[in-house]
Each structure stands twice: as C-alpha cells, then as structure tokens.
Amino acid sequence: MIQISLCMIVKNEERVLNRCLKSIADLMDEIIIVDTGSTDQTKEIARKYTENIYDFEWKDDFSAARNFAFSKATKDYIYSADADEVMDEENRKKFRDLKEVLLPEIEIVQMRYCNQLSHGTSYNFDAEYRPKLYKRLRGLVWIEPVHEMVRLDPVVYDSDIDIRHMPEEVHSGRDFKVFQRYIREGGRLSKRLHHMYAMELAISGTDADVLEAEEFFAASAADPSRSIDEVKEAACIAARAARLRGDSHAILKMCLKDLLSEGSSEMCFELGEYFYEKEDFPEAAMWYYNAWHETECILNLQTVERARQRYGECTGRDRNEGKDGR
C-alpha cells in the first residue's frame, strides 16, 4: 500500500480548515501545513492534526508556496488539498481503496473537483478533473524498441473520486492582484494564464477589475505574437472595459479583432449591452440573439443564459412599444 503526504498552503482559513482536515486527515500518512501569514486561529487548528507546520513568506506566487510545501514531503505520493475542500464518506472509501491498489507506474491521479457553480466561483463547469495526487519521486524510463527515448509525459489515472469544493468566499480578487503584480513586474502570461485571467474576469470580475485589466488586454489584443484565441479573449475583456468607459471607437476596434475568425458569444453580448444602454432595443435584441443562438462561448458559458434573459427583456420592451423585437 502506498503512503501519502498531505501538503497544504493556508492563510486565514479558520472557518474551513478543521472541516477539511477532519474529512481527510486519517487517510494521510503525513500532514504538512505551510502558512503564508495567517492572523487568525489557522495554525492552532492545524496543530490538532500535525506538528509539521511551516511559515512561508507570501510572495504573490502560489507555485513558490506549493513547491516549498512539496519539498517537505517524505512519502511515496503527495496529495495537494485546499482548505475549502471536503471529502464525503463515499469518496473517503474510494480514496482508501485507491491507496491499496494504485500501481507504482502511475505518477498523477486526477479526481473530480465538484460543486463549483453553486458558490459563485470562477469556473464554467460544476465538475472537472484536476490532478490531486502526485508521485513524489519520478523514475525516468526508456521507451520504444528503436530510436529509444526517455518517457517525458507522466502516467495519469482518472479516478472516480469526487472532491467537494465548498468555499466561504470567491477568491478572484486575490488572483487578480497576483496577475496585476506579475504583469507590472514585466512577466509575460503564458497562453494558459492569459486564458485563466480573461476567464476569471468574464465570470466574476467586477467593473473595477475589468477596467484595471484593460491596458493589459488591449495591448494583448494588438500583440502579433499572441495566438488568435488569445487575441479574441483579450478583445472581449477590452471591449467590456471600453463599454464601461463609453468609448465607442475602442469597442469597434475590439469587435473587429473578434471577427478575425468566427465571432464569440461574449463579444455579441457586449454589443447587445452597448445598444441596450443606448435604448436601441431592437438592435440589442439582435446581438443578444446571436450571443444566445449563433455563436460559441470562449470564456464564460453563463453568457448564453444571460443573453437569453436580456433578449427577453428587449423583446418585451419592443412589444410594449409596438415593435417587432428583431
């Protein structure tokens, strides 16, 4: 049977940490808690479960904190958990069974991260696979009978274990600060992080968050080194910011960038919002309809439902005013 080190990074998690640890502590062979600056009872709660508690100066870098936590692990595998996660009894049994039968060649086990849409978190899916269990030491293996090479891709297993995500609050604001600091210091967002930043803004960003991000995404939309997907998602965010500022010229520029390929639901929705604010309800309804029926989402799947509701509002106004609504 494999042995597992639990590694967590925490800060001011007194409301949820006990709930999390109570659900998984007995499944672990080692518990490592890295605190990044708590001012509440987080560390006192953690001490009920482990003596392996370390302080780590927060640097707006989650990877640095997690790497530090992983460096303290000593067991075969590392389970990475957040304090707002919970594992119920059915999935605890599945986890226990997994420990008994996991093959040593498996290097990453994915589990379904669930319950994401009910708490207003910045995700498009209620359940999605995420890597949760990692082999601590990876053995290099040669493959292929001729022109041999070292296998570089990890061996990944998709388990049937569900992890319930039960946050007390949305953490997007915290993430936005990390993005902005990284950008100010000259960092270039990878394609993945570029998408994550745009997606979080589209799903849970406030108007202030979007306006703060406008300069970056306007520049990104004009960056010839960015892919067409990155240009389109950048244009969607920049267009929303331009609408908030009432800048019709910038909105037009961003819309044309989106139309470099098939238009997106997000951009059609922004055009609907623009005409709605101008009280041009027939034009707004047309763009909401396109967001609802004729295009695909690239950032926020909730856009379709919002467009449907807005379309109903516009056509209702048109009927009241004796118009046809299209």
Side-chain angles (χ1 to χ4, degrees):
M1 182 172 67
I2 64 168
Q3 290 193 315
I4 300 176
S5 299
L6 169 65
C7 286
M8 300 178 67
I9 58 173
V10 297
K11 181 179 180 181
N12 293 336
E13 302 286 6
E14 65 179 6
R15 291 179 297 177
V16 295
L17 182 58
N18 188 67
R19 181 184 67 186
C20 172
L21 289 173
K22 186 177 180 180
S23 74
I24 59 175
D26 63 317
L27 300 172
M28 306 299 160
D29 301 285
E30 179 179 58
I31 298 176
I32 294 162
I33 308 290
V34 171
D35 189 275
T36 61
S38 293
T39 56
D40 62 5
Q41 298 298 306
T42 294
K43 288 198 282 188
E44 285 71 15
I45 294 169
R47 287 192 184 98
K48 298 177 182 178
Y49 296 90
T50 181
E51 296 179 353
N52 300 319
I53 301 173
Y54 302 90
D55 291 313
F56 184 82
E57 182 181 356
W58 179 240
K59 305 173 182 178
D60 280 339
D61 188 333
F62 287 96
S63 290
R66 291 202 188 277
N67 284 335
F68 178 77
F70 274 33
S71 74
K72 301 299 181 181
T74 65
K75 303 305 180 183
D76 305 318
Y77 284 80
I78 298 172
Y79 181 71
S80 180
D82 292 326
D84 55 9
E85 298 175 11
V86 178
M87 193 181 300
D88 63 24
E89 193 55 45
E90 177 184 356
N91 289 286
R92 280 167 44 79
K93 182 180 184 305
K94 292 178 181 178
F95 194 101
R96 197 175 291 111
D97 292 342
L98 179 70
K99 287 186 69 175
E100 296 280 354
V101 301
L102 189 65
L103 298 174
E105 58 264 31
I106 292 175
E107 294 167 318
I108 295 176
V109 178
Q110 298 205 119
M111 302 175 189
R112 287 190 295 264
Y113 213 59
C114 303
N115 202 44
Q116 303 202 111
L117 299 182
S118 62
H119 290 270
T121 49
S122 53
Y123 300 98
N124 278 315
F125 302 99
D126 198 52
E128 62 180 354
Y129 270 115
R130 288 191 180 184
K132 296 294 292 179
L133 189 64
Y134 305 84
K135 194 167 187 179
R136 186 174 65 87
L137 298 177
R138 186 182 186 192
L140 297 178
V141 177
W142 288 90
I143 57 174
E144 309 294 5
V146 66
H147 300 301
E148 67 279 2
M149 61 176 291
V150 171
R151 176 172 51 79
L152 300 177
D153 295 329
V155 179
V156 180
Y157 170 63
D158 292 341
S159 74
D160 61 351
I161 298 172
D162 291 340
I163 309 298
R164 295 186 67 200
H165 187 209
M166 300 178 65
E168 294 282 312
E169 58 185 359
V170 177
H171 298 300
S172 296
R174 174 198 64 190
D175 294 348
F176 296 151
K177 290 178 181 177
V178 175
F179 280 121
Q180 284 294 321
R181 178 174 176 177
Y182 184 71
I183 292 166
R184 285 195 304 270
E185 293 177 350
R188 177 179 172 84
L189 297 187
S190 66
K191 184 174 183 179
R192 172 180 169 271
L193 281 184
H194 189 281
H195 176 73
M196 292 296 294
Y197 190 14
M199 184 180 71
E200 286 195 55
L201 284 168
I203 295 175
S204 61
T206 65
D207 289 349
D209 293 328
V210 172
L211 288 169
E212 184 178 24
E214 180 181 13
E215 182 179 359
F216 168 76
F217 281 107
S220 185
D223 185 346
S225 68
R226 290 289 184 182
S227 68
I228 185 63
D229 290 339
E230 291 169 296
V231 169
K232 287 171 67 66
E233 62 195 22
C236 289
I237 300 303
R240 178 178 165 188
R243 176 177 60 78
L244 292 171
R245 293 188 296 101
D247 188 340
S248 301
H249 178 70
I251 294 173
L252 176 61
K253 282 180 63 177
M254 293 303 117
C255 287
L256 291 174
K257 290 183 183 297
D258 185 54
L259 292 175
L260 290 171
S261 62
E262 185 175 345
S264 66
S265 295
E266 287 83 356
M267 190 62 80
C268 289
F269 183 83
E270 280 304 321
L271 288 168
E273 293 285 88
Y274 173 80
F275 288 109
Y276 187 93
E277 291 170 358
K278 299 293 184 183
E279 298 188 357
D280 187 344
F281 300 118
E283 191 71 16
M286 180 189 72
W287 287 109
Y288 287 136
Y289 185 87
N290 275 277
W292 177 18
H293 276 298
E294 304 296 336
T295 51
E296 297 293 331
C297 296
I298 61 175
L299 293 172
N300 181 7
L301 295 181
Q302 300 171 46
T303 301
V304 172
E305 176 59 21
R306 292 168 63 200
R308 183 192 69 78
Q309 294 172 355
R310 283 296 217 187
Y311 177 80
E313 293 177 27
C314 289
T315 54
R317 285 174 180 267
D318 290 340
R319 284 193 294 271
N320 291 339
E321 296 172 13
K323 300 176 183 178
D324 64 7
R326 293 295 298 275

